[in-house]
Amino acid sequence: MTTRYPFLISIPHGGTDVPTELTGRLALAREELRYYCDPMTRELYDFRSSARAHIDTPVSRMVVDLNRPPLPLPPRDPDGIIKLQAVDGKPVYREGMFPDMTLIHRVMMAWYFPYHQRIDELIDQHDVKIAFDCHSMLPVGSAEQKDAGTERPLFCLGNNGDRKGRAKKNSIATCPESWVNTLADEFRSEFSLNREVAINNPFSGGFISNAHYWRKGVPWIQIEVNRALYEPEPGSGAGQSTDCDGAVKILRERIWRVLTGFWDSHDADI
């Protein structure tokens, strides 16, 4: 039997489905639901046959964002669990169709809380030693984001620290500084990068990695992969499905080499 690595792989933003409770309320078309999520990440990070624990969701982050804190309740936070707008400011719901608190509660009980409960169960049941919260990012910061108009790195690793992976003042990093830097070096080595692998810039880790590190003490690293690595450029004429699937397969293999290389180099010290 092949030994599985002691990883938890969390993929909270790869889904595109709309829960039945919200059908007919959205102002976004299906292709927009895909664009504003982390398309292909459920395939890109599909390491379930080699990692001890794996969790993802079919539901679109535009209707239930699992990587947001449960408070404040919507609609106070436009980019919260139940979103008012997308990253470029486009409204998510049709006028007058934003869900009321009863419906928000139903959606959260069906999708949000079970995801977080399952993470805790997986950590306990499978002797997880490190967890990765896995995402993709647009090549350039969107209008409503802090890095609007800025070209992004090919990879960004987050541990809730500063740009060197160190814990910030009055805060706690979700993994040791040495761990996130070693992982960054593995990415640089595997991909022979000219563009730097960034740490905590533009993303330092969301609610999932921070909350569950606090709850269980198991180290977390958030991984962001630039979508330019597997999506054809707009207007390139490339076949979206065929080209994307092939690029994702190759990229998945290389990312797994990075993760295992990182762990093998640290295993003796853990």
Side-chain angles (χ1 to χ4, degrees):
M1 181 180 294
T2 302
T3 301
R4 292 173 181 255
Y5 277 80
F7 303 160
L8 167 65
I9 305 296
S10 165
I11 312 169
H13 288 164
T16 58
D17 292 355
V18 177
T20 303
E21 299 94 328
L22 299 175
T23 300
R25 293 176 175 267
L26 299 183
L28 302 176
R30 173 158 292 279
E31 187 56 32
E32 290 174 313
L33 286 171
R34 179 189 182 279
Y35 174 79
Y36 290 126
C37 295
D38 284 351
M40 302 300 293
T41 51
R42 295 172 76 190
E43 293 80 12
L44 181 61
Y45 299 106
D46 185 3
F47 305 129
R48 71 187 71 209
S49 65
S50 304
R52 286 184 186 167
H54 174 102
I55 184 171
D56 65 9
T57 182
V59 174
S60 170
R61 69 175 297 188
M62 298 311 298
V63 290
V64 186
D65 195 331
L66 306 173
N67 201 25
R68 295 293 184 270
L71 296 173
L73 290 172
R76 287 181 58 192
D77 182 359
D79 189 32
I81 298 172
I82 310 294
K83 298 185 184 300
L84 290 173
Q85 62 187 38
V87 292
D88 56 4
K90 183 166 185 174
V92 173
Y93 289 90
R94 296 176 180 175
E95 187 174 354
M97 297 295 285
F98 189 80
D100 61 19
M101 288 308 304
T102 299
L103 183 50
I104 288 172
H105 180 260
R106 285 172 54 196
V107 170
M108 290 176 65
M109 292 300 293
W111 297 102
Y112 181 83
F113 293 113
Y115 192 91
H116 289 277
Q117 179 180 343
R118 185 59 180 153
I119 287 177
D120 287 344
E121 292 171 349
L122 289 170
I123 289 173
D124 290 340
Q125 294 168 5
H126 297 282
D127 192 24
V128 169
K129 301 298 185 184
I130 185 169
F132 299 101
D133 201 44
C134 301
H135 300 262
S136 68
M137 57 183 170
L138 291 166
V140 177
S142 299
E144 299 294 318
Q145 296 180 303
K146 63 181 181 181
D147 65 334
T150 301
E151 189 175 3
R152 288 171 169 168
L154 294 182
F155 299 95
C156 173
L157 307 177
N159 75 334
N160 197 43
D162 65 16
R163 296 188 183 187
K164 294 185 178 180
R166 301 170 299 196
K168 293 181 288 188
K169 185 177 180 180
N170 299 322
S171 185
I172 294 178
T174 59
C175 79
E177 172 188 348
S178 63
W179 287 29
V180 73
N181 278 280
T182 298
L183 183 59
D185 287 341
E186 289 288 337
F187 270 107
R188 295 184 187 110
S189 176
E190 171 66 29
F191 289 88
S192 302
L193 293 178
N194 293 319
R195 290 169 58 188
E196 191 70 10
V197 177
I199 296 176
N200 295 311
N201 181 43
F203 301 106
S204 62
F207 179 74
I208 289 174
S209 55
N210 284 283
H212 290 280
Y213 175 71
W214 275 96
R215 286 175 61 82
K216 293 295 182 179
V218 170
W220 281 77
I221 298 177
Q222 180 172 292
I223 301 174
E224 297 271 357
V225 173
N226 195 310
R227 284 161 57 170
L229 284 169
Y230 59 90
E231 288 188 335
E233 293 184 18
S236 66
Q240 177 75 25
S241 178
T242 302
D243 287 17
C244 190
D245 288 347
V248 165
K249 181 179 183 296
I250 294 170
L251 187 55
R252 179 174 61 242
E253 294 170 353
R254 299 184 73 181
I255 291 174
W256 184 246
R257 283 202 296 270
V258 168
L259 298 184
T260 56
F262 152 77
W263 187 255
D264 291 342
S265 69
H266 267 71
D267 195 18
D269 300 325
I270 295 171

